[in-house]
Amino acid sequence: MAAADCEYLELLDLQAGLKEGIEEIFPGKLWVRAEVSSVQVKSSGHCYLDLTQTEDGSVVAKARAVIWRGQYFALAAYFQAATGSALAAGMSILARVQVNYSELYGLTLVIDELEPQFTLGQAELERQRTIDTLKADGLLDAQKSLKLCRLPYRLAVVSAPDAAGYGDFCRHLEENEYGFRFAVDLFPATMQGQSAPESVAMALDAVQSSAVHYDAVLLIRGGGSNFDLSCFDDYSLCFAIANCGIPVFTAIGHERDCHIADMVAWEYFKTPTALADFLIGWVHDVELDWMETLENIRQALIERLVYTAEQEVRRSLDNIRFALNANINELDHRVALLEAGIRSSDPRNVLSQGYVLRQPDVCAVG
């Protein structure tokens, strides 16, 4: 039978049939779990999302969704207040939707409610899975086995070039009260979003392959919402930190107690300026140690010189004392001989011993 003789449907009829069937299967609202792959708020005020489901790293389902302007602003404000983050790509959400099928635009999920606690819970579950995996791989404490050099001077900073935290760190480091100087090199990286883990890992590789030997690597961001900083709980980013052969310091500027990147780092600090204070304090402590050592050496030299001088004085006094005693003994001996000669009956005995007696002066009496 020729194709022209086949029974067929108009596209509109097909779409109308699909619409009727889909809306018959899902007549009311239902809750759907999905991952947000993109979010766009149009000038009209409507918010359009792409929702996906992934398994083993592959997308297995995808659908378009919309939050109409009349509900978006209130819903977005509520979600951000509860989670600390705006609705954004990369989040897992639980949304109440109405299934809508348009003959012109196809399937759309109309969202009128979000459950923020689900998003927080999913993030925490994923975080705990990452911690458990790092622990099982023996990477959670790998950085702690590294030794920071005695005087950290060459510092590799992994940060976005225009990050306020990076500027605060450099300014605080340069304006330290002791006048210490550090060599700081920037390795630019994306510090938020889905591309951050790969970008940071590449920056860490660049630091380690550099011809310059760096004493420490500093991951600096300087604050942001919980979701903005969620990349620092990513396994691949934490894996890169744990396997870095140079001590890594993190100064993300977070509000929560710590991220997994902080846990695997050599040391972490709440803010970039706190990290700068640590480095300045470390060098100051080294300076104090050196000054104390030099003072100890100086005191030891002084004590040695004083001891040597005292020994020389004692030696000289002993020599003088010995010489005087020798002279006194000689004089005593001569006096003894003289006394013996005087007592003898023959004065010539005295002369024979080499002594000449002076005759007393006789004064004439007039």
Side-chain angles (χ1 to χ4, degrees), residues 142-159:
Q143 272 275 312
K144 307 297 188 296
S145 65
L146 301 178
K147 185 176 181 180
L148 185 65
C149 70
R150 178 65 171 158
L151 191 64
Y153 170 68
R154 291 199 170 276
L155 309 175
V157 175
V158 176
S159 177

Side-chain angles (χ1 to χ4, degrees), residues 263-301:
M263 297 171 65
V264 300
W266 196 88
E267 186 60 273
Y268 82 94
F269 299 87
K270 289 286 188 181
T271 63
T273 53
L275 173 54
D277 284 336
F278 167 80
L279 293 168
I280 294 166
W282 181 286
V283 175
H284 184 234
D285 289 343
V286 172
E287 181 185 51
L288 291 178
D289 287 345
W290 285 354
M291 291 175 66
E292 183 179 356
T293 300
L294 288 174
E295 179 61 20
N296 290 338
I297 292 172
R298 189 180 74 86
Q299 288 296 332
L301 287 174

Side-chain angles (χ1 to χ4, degrees), residues 157-163 166 186-201 203 218-225 227-232 237 241 249-252 261:
V157 175
V158 176
S159 177
D162 56 350
Y166 171 59
L186 175 66
F187 288 78
T190 302
M191 301 300 283
Q192 72 178 57
Q194 293 176 307
S195 61
E198 182 180 4
S199 181
V200 171
L218 319 178
L219 259 64
I220 293 176
R221 191 190 188 286
S225 69
F227 186 75
D228 287 341
L229 303 177
S230 63
C231 59
F232 294 99
L237 185 148
I241 294 173
F249 296 85
T250 57
I252 298 169

